[in-house]
Amino acid sequence: METAAAVSETSAGLVENTVNDLDKQIQTLMNCEIISEAEVKSLCAKAKEILIQEGNVQVIDSPVTVGGQLPYTNYLFLGDFVDRGHYSVETFLLLLALKVRYPDRMMLIRGNHESRQITQVYGFYDECVRKYGSPTVWKCCTDVFDCLSLSAVIAGKVFCVHGGLSPSIQTLDEIRAIERKQEVPHDGAMCDLLWSDPEDAMGWGMSPRGAGYLFGSDVVKMFCENNGVDLICRAHQLVMEGYKWHFNETVLTVWSAPNYCYRCGNVAAILELDEDINKEFSIFEAAPQENRGAPAKKPLPDYFL
Amino acid sequence: MEPPTIAPRPSWAPDDGPAAKWIKGPMDLAAWKRSLAHRDYLDFLHRVNDAVAGKKTSQWVPQSPGVQKVMSMLEVIKGYTDKHPPEAEMQQRYGNKAYRKWYAELTENAKELINDVLEEVENDGAAAMLEPYLLDSFGNQTRIDYGSGHEAAFIILLLCFEKIGLFTPEDLPAVGLMIFGEYLRACRHLQRLYKMEPAGSHGVYSLDDYQFVPFLWGSSQLIGSNFDPNNYPQPEKVQDHDMESLFLEAITYINDTKTGPFYEHSNQLWNISAVPNWDKINSGLFKMYEAEVLLKFPVVQHFLFCKYFQLTPVPDEN
């Protein structure tokens, strides 16, 4: 069983990251409670050290749970860890703590929401300021976003990316050549990988999202042939049944947020791949309502005071 | 790492072409913010806001022929759904693909619909120019989604109609209560029938997954009313009052379509219910709209500009 290397830092603001500390932080975050700003700084620093060593196309062996049980199986998360929900901070920090605790078992790739610009629109920035009183934690986390890998290949056969394909990319080597340690650009290969969607028309189309492209089954066929993969596994789009096959089972969308926006009534899915990359889906619904009792009413002071 | 410098685009200039996008990146937000279009949009929102203050949705307001024409247009558009019922669920990702057929029907008829609306008014062939706004008012054909950008497109269309001379100044209450009210009901019909996704919802930071302006104008309607804001998170307190205000009608729709406790699924609205009066809610919502909708690139990148909605900078006072 892997153990995280002990980190003793003497610089101001960082704390020791022993296994015990990590396990305590993991427990705290699992309970939907925040860890201290000092702990966040230390955790982010350690996570960055691990993440920057990973390539743009992470190599993962099966068995994998996409979206088992740590530490006996590998886990891959396809991005969009933050924004829109009540607990983005706890969610992302939990994933980081698990990454630092089990670095060879946990894989995280970047989604289009792992971005400074996007998180200032869709809530993560506001949540950080509300829970910590300043943007410091947001800054730490967005610096970590820049280090996240862009994609993964499982057992040489399943290519995993958050959004989809890019007209600028024909081969995995071209992905490897991308300089990824930056804010998600507005266009170009790195942007497309995180923003594109499959669509029924052939070839490439303008994306209605305003970033990335729409791509057809012919594009997928060529990409798979060029790169010796059988399947493109991605997320990025809401799916009623939790998962959806496209293009004769060459593209798979996996969506792991049940009852999106408390209205969509969808289930969520996790893909499990065994040693021989046989596929099984775990489906789950929204957690039952916890009767925490109504919170205090706090109108946003910038607008309502 | 900055992208390589590209030669600056020529400034936007009005022409007679169809309304089109222009905002390409966050650096264009400054141009949008100081434009005539931005000023005119807010001005329109405020004027309608003032016109509906203290008025119930159900009360009679004057309606010129121009207003009636737009109401008829909305009825026709809503009626296209009869020709395109939802298709059986097999293999759909989320939204029902029959929406795309409904949308194709709208596309085929859009120019004619606008021409009919503008029949009695001198309009210089404005239908071609304004068609893109109508086509952007009811969601996106590919993604089968709807959000505050689509709502804004419809309001810009109304603003353009006003510029062309379709509405009289006395029509403003009808624009807010009748036209916009019917528009909202048409959108809700589409959202439910075709299972449309929220487009770019801010989640728990949103006022609402689909709309903003019914809360804005609707809060103005409730200024001076007896309805205590503190009560609107409780469905039973809203039920009998929802035809008094677009705000309460929108709350009912939320209660009908979202699951779980109100404080969880509509946290911003929950918070706002503690604001002591509707005046403060109204002015707060304006600030929120300006900051959270009008100055956010993911929304305004889709805005369309034309001769009646110009990106030209507001001239200096001097």
Side-chain angles (χ1 to χ4, degrees):
Chain A
M1 187 159 102
E2 295 85 359
T3 54
V7 173
S8 14
E9 304 283 356
T10 51
S11 334
L14 299 177
V15 302
E16 277 206 7
N17 259 124
T18 61
V19 168
N20 278 339
D21 290 334
L22 273 172
D23 284 340
K24 267 202 295 211
Q25 287 167 11
I26 288 167
Q27 202 46 60
T28 304
L29 294 163
M30 289 265 211
N31 289 337
C32 265
E33 286 162 17
I34 55 172
I35 59 178
S36 74
E37 188 172 294
E39 287 176 295
V40 172
K41 283 182 180 160
S42 181
L43 181 60
C44 287
K46 185 60 190 173
K48 274 160 63 177
E49 269 177 41
I50 298 170
L51 291 169
I52 54 173
Q53 291 176 47
E54 295 178 352
N56 293 343
V57 186
Q58 267 296 82
V59 171
I60 307 180
D61 300 320
S62 53
V64 186
T65 306
V66 181
Q69 227 186 5
L70 279 169
Y72 306 110
T73 176
N74 294 321
Y75 259 102
L76 170 63
F77 290 84
L78 298 179
D80 278 10
F81 311 123
V82 297
D83 283 336
R84 297 196 171 115
H86 285 291
Y87 299 106
S88 294
V89 170
E90 292 83 346
T91 301
F92 183 60
L93 294 177
L94 173 60
L95 290 173
L96 285 192
L98 288 169
K99 176 66 179 174
V100 174
R101 181 71 175 82
Y102 306 104
D104 299 329
R105 290 295 193 186
M106 278 283 292
M107 297 302 157
L108 307 172
I109 63 171
R110 198 170 186 174
N112 63 305
H113 279 259
E114 277 70 61
S115 141
R116 288 170 188 79
Q117 264 187 41
I118 295 293
T119 51
Q120 285 181 78
V121 178
Y122 291 99
F124 181 54
Y125 176 87
D126 295 323
E127 187 181 324
C128 289
V129 170
R130 190 166 37 89
K131 288 177 177 171
Y132 287 94
S134 86
T136 306
V137 164
W138 175 82
K139 281 196 198 119
C140 285
C141 291
T142 52
D143 286 346
V144 176
F145 293 164
D146 285 350
C147 299
L148 290 166
S149 178
L150 302 179
S151 66
V153 176
I154 300 172
K157 287 288 163 200
V158 181
F159 174 68
C160 303
V161 71
H162 175 73
L165 300 179
S166 170
S168 311
I169 299 279
Q170 269 68 56
T171 65
L172 297 180
D173 273 342
E174 284 169 6
I175 301 180
R176 291 183 184 106
I178 294 173
E179 175 44 69
R180 78 166 191 262
K181 287 167 200 86
Q182 54 170 322
E183 169 65 9
V184 181
H186 284 121
D187 52 27
M190 180 170 159
C191 169
D192 299 341
L193 292 171
L194 273 44
W195 278 92
S196 295
D197 295 305
E199 191 49 63
D200 284 329
M202 291 289 151
W204 298 97
M206 294 287 302
S207 172
R209 294 182 190 258
Y213 290 87
L214 303 176
F215 57 93
S217 58
D218 52 340
V219 167
V220 173
K221 187 159 185 279
M222 186 137 75
F223 183 87
C224 288
E225 279 170 10
N226 285 347
N227 296 288
V229 300
D230 295 336
L231 173 65
I232 298 176
C233 181
R234 45 89 66 178
H236 197 42
Q237 284 182 301
L238 171 63
V239 185
M240 185 66 184
E241 320 267 295
Y243 69 96
K244 176 161 171 47
W245 292 106
H246 315 262
F247 304 162
N248 211 23
E249 302 202 352
T250 55
V251 175
L252 173 67
T253 301
V254 179
W255 175 267
S256 310
N259 197 22
Y260 179 62
C261 293
Y262 300 93
R263 97 166 34 244
C264 292
N266 60 291
V267 295
I270 291 176
L271 167 66
E272 289 167 43
L273 298 165
D274 70 13
E275 293 81 9
D276 302 314
I277 25 178
N278 294 313
K279 303 167 190 72
E280 239 184 64
F281 295 95
S282 241
I283 304 294
F284 60 101
E285 298 179 349
Q289 225 69 58
E290 264 179 54
N291 277 318
R292 278 179 261 237
K297 294 180 177 182
K298 295 187 196 136
L300 293 166
D302 285 347
Y303 307 135
F304 294 101
L305 237 50
Chain B
M1 207 179 84
E2 288 305 311
T5 338
I6 315 162
R9 279 184 291 169
S11 305
W12 184 91
D15 60 31
D16 289 323
K21 294 187 190 182
W22 198 85
I23 294 174
K24 295 264 152 64
M27 47 294 218
D28 296 325
L29 285 181
W32 155 243
K33 193 173 180 196
R34 57 172 186 261
S35 70
L36 290 173
H38 182 270
R39 182 200 65 179
D40 291 349
Y41 187 79
L42 277 172
D43 175 67
F44 184 77
L45 279 186
H46 276 286
R47 283 188 293 113
V48 175
N49 191 68
D50 294 342
V52 304
K55 292 191 167 73
K56 297 192 173 155
T57 311
S58 52
Q59 81 183 55
W60 182 90
V61 289
Q63 289 177 60
S64 70
V67 168
Q68 288 166 27
K69 290 226 166 200
V70 178
M71 299 288 288
S72 303
M73 179 188 76
L74 286 171
E75 210 184 307
V76 167
I77 290 173
K78 192 175 173 193
Y80 294 153
T81 59
D82 295 337
K83 286 173 73 174
H84 306 287
E87 286 158 14
E89 284 292 310
M90 271 168 47
Q91 301 284 320
Q92 316 239 34
R93 177 177 64 78
Y94 186 81
N96 196 284
K97 292 193 173 165
Y99 171 79
R100 292 177 177 169
K101 300 195 174 143
W102 172 88
Y103 193 97
E105 181 98 40
L106 176 67
T107 305
E108 218 180 283
N109 292 293
K111 227 174 259 155
E112 198 187 318
L113 287 169
I114 299 176
N115 269 324
D116 282 346
V117 165
L118 296 178
E119 207 173 10
E120 311 285 323
V121 183
E122 215 183 281
N123 65 75
D124 248 351
M129 192 178 296
L130 300 183
E131 188 190 3
Y133 292 120
L134 188 63
L135 292 179
D136 213 26
S137 293
F138 299 97
N140 183 273
Q141 186 180 31
T142 310
R143 291 182 44 72
I144 312 177
D145 67 7
Y146 177 97
S148 59
H150 303 117
E151 177 186 78
F154 185 70
I155 295 173
I156 296 169
L157 178 63
L158 297 179
L159 186 164
C160 292
F161 281 161
E162 191 195 35
K163 286 227 175 114
I164 289 173
L166 184 69
F167 303 133
T168 69
E170 293 71 37
D171 275 335
L172 283 187
V175 166
L177 302 183
M178 305 209 57
I179 294 181
F180 194 66
E182 267 317 299
Y183 163 76
L184 290 170
R185 284 167 219 121
C187 288
R188 288 175 194 138
H189 175 63
L190 294 168
Q191 287 156 12
R192 294 174 101 151
L193 189 69
Y194 297 120
K195 221 157 94 196
M196 298 181 73
E197 273 180 62
S201 168
H202 294 199
V204 303
Y205 298 90
S206 278
L207 214 50
D208 177 74
D209 294 323
Y210 296 120
Q211 322 285 163
F212 198 109
V213 178
F215 300 96
L216 195 58
W217 289 342
S219 61
S220 174
Q221 287 179 270
L222 289 165
I223 292 173
S225 80
N226 288 329
F227 194 95
D228 184 349
N230 204 39
N231 288 337
Y232 70 65
Q234 298 161 65
E236 65 285 3
K237 298 251 161 88
V238 174
Q239 252 157 225
D240 297 331
H241 298 273
D242 58 21
M243 282 323 280
E244 284 177 29
S245 163
L246 298 176
F247 190 108
L248 300 177
E249 201 183 334
I251 296 274
T252 296
Y253 182 58
I254 288 174
N255 290 329
D256 287 346
T257 50
K258 295 187 82 146
T259 49
F262 193 92
Y263 62 76
E264 192 163 347
H265 64 59
S266 300
N267 192 247
Q268 287 308 323
L269 284 168
W270 169 260
N271 289 329
I272 290 166
S273 71
V275 176
N277 61 62
W278 291 104
D279 244 301
K280 285 208 167 78
I281 291 179
N282 188 246
S283 59
L285 287 176
F286 263 103
K287 289 188 198 145
M288 189 176 174
Y289 189 71
E290 280 188 70
E292 303 295 334
V293 180
L294 295 187
L295 283 179
K296 295 295 185 185
F297 177 72
V299 182
V300 303
Q301 65 176 321
H302 301 292
F303 276 21
L304 307 167
F305 301 93
C306 69
K307 205 168 72 175
Y308 298 104
F309 194 64
Q310 296 194 7
L311 259 182
T312 321
V314 173
D316 281 332
E317 307 285 42
N318 325 327

